[in-house]
Amino acid sequence: MQGIVRFQKSLKLLQHYTENANLAQIAYQCGYADQSHFIREFKQFSGYTPLSLLNVCKPYSDLFNNPI
């Protein structure tokens, strides 16, 4: 359950990803042990690495923009 919450938070932060931000900062903000842990778990849930997901689809989640 905790992994899903971290993943959802990382999706929210990635939606506002800029060139100034980096994956290590996002990993830390979401509670991952390190960047490789973040990327590994992100890929497990989504099938993509965080940056490859940014290239595939935008926006990839509207849950945080249009809550039910």
Side-chain angles (χ1 to χ4, degrees), residues 6 12-13 15 19-20 23-25 30 33-34 36-38 49 52-53 62 64 66 68:
R6 285 191 304 241
K12 179 182 178 187
L13 293 174
Q15 283 190 290
E19 295 296 322
N20 297 333
L23 293 181
Q25 291 172 330
C30 295
D34 55 30
S36 64
H37 178 216
F38 166 49
T49 64
S52 66
L53 185 64
D62 62 358
F64 297 103
N66 301 313
I68 299 173

Side-chain angles (χ1 to χ4, degrees), residues 1-10 30 32 45 64:
M1 180 76 143
Q2 184 181 17
I4 294 171
V5 172
R6 285 191 304 241
F7 174 69
Q8 288 177 331
K9 184 173 182 179
S10 70
C30 295
Y32 290 98
F45 285 120
F64 297 103

Side-chain angles (χ1 to χ4, degrees), residues 35-58:
Q35 183 175 341
S36 64
H37 178 216
F38 166 49
I39 293 170
R40 187 172 49 252
E41 192 167 278
F42 192 96
K43 190 170 183 178
Q44 178 185 357
F45 285 120
S46 70
Y48 294 96
T49 64
L51 293 181
S52 66
L53 185 64
L54 287 175
N55 294 327
V56 172
C57 51
K58 276 191 173 181

